[in-house]
Amino acid sequence: MSKSKFPVTPAIRFLRDHQIPYEPMEYAYVEHGGTAQSALALNVDEHAVIKTIVLQNEQKQGLIVLMHGDRHISTRQLARELGMKHIEPASPQQAGKWTGYLVGGTSPFGNKAGLPIYVEESIYALPLIYINGGKRGFLVKIQPQYLACLQPQSVHVATETE
């Protein structure tokens, strides 16, 4: 954790407040580049780049799912596991209101509304993960066990990418 010139976002403040060791990693953000672009730019496995996806249920209540970069979320399976009727992606505007972050720069750390967080169980098997640090083009490298500070619930909802 060097004190170099990287963004001090709400996510970084959260990590510092919770004394979670992290390594900041910046890259050139590409609109709609997704995790494939960040993995390529940082020369890391896309499976270890974790997406922060903001969804909503049938009552328009928000939730966050953390998923491998090279996988999709089965919203049908997620709804089943959580006992909900329907889950769909939140609009970028709604996601921004709930989290305080721009889409492409959404971090599970320090989100404004304190949305419930769900983690794809297999993420915990990775030695290191790369997750958004609260700004486009900015990931933090951490050990997955530190996700516990978010008090997430584990789910099994990953599907292969098309």
Side-chain angles (χ1 to χ4, degrees):
M1 283 197 306
S2 67
K3 297 264 184 190
S4 65
K5 294 180 182 176
F6 59 86
V8 179
T9 63
I12 294 301
R13 285 192 282 281
F14 180 95
L15 293 172
R16 287 177 178 169
D17 289 350
H18 289 80
Q19 300 177 353
I20 295 171
Y22 65 91
E23 182 182 327
M25 305 182 82
E26 292 186 277
Y27 64 96
Y29 178 77
V30 174
E31 191 77 31
H32 305 295
T35 55
Q37 205 286 323
S38 57
L40 183 64
L42 297 171
N43 196 27
V44 298
D45 182 1
E46 187 181 6
H47 193 68
V49 177
I50 306 305
K51 306 185 269 197
T52 304
I53 309 295
V54 182
L55 303 163
Q56 64 185 15
N57 65 15
E58 67 278 359
Q59 287 147 356
K60 305 292 185 213
Q61 296 168 320
L63 57 126
I64 290 174
V65 175
L66 303 180
M67 181 56 68
H68 298 282
D70 60 350
R71 298 287 188 270
H72 288 294
I73 298 167
S74 168
T75 54
R76 180 174 288 158
Q77 179 62 28
L78 181 62
R80 247 186 254 125
E81 281 194 31
L82 302 183
M84 297 177 185
K85 289 184 178 125
H86 178 76
I87 294 178
E88 64 186 11
S91 72
Q93 297 79 10
Q94 186 60 59
K97 278 184 192 171
W98 281 329
T99 65
Y101 296 115
L102 287 172
V103 170
T106 304
S107 178
F109 305 111
N111 79 75
K112 245 174 35 175
L115 297 177
I117 298 176
Y118 302 89
V119 179
E120 176 59 34
E121 176 88 27
S122 56
I123 289 172
Y124 292 114
L126 299 170
L128 291 168
I129 60 172
Y130 305 85
I131 194 162
N132 201 288
K135 186 176 190 301
R136 292 174 173 177
F138 181 50
L139 301 182
V140 291
K141 178 167 76 170
I142 66 169
Q143 295 174 341
Q145 70 263 26
Y146 288 113
L147 294 174
C149 70
L150 298 169
Q151 300 177 320
Q153 180 179 325
S154 293
V155 292
H156 297 87
V157 295
T159 62
E160 297 290 321
T161 56
E162 284 102 49

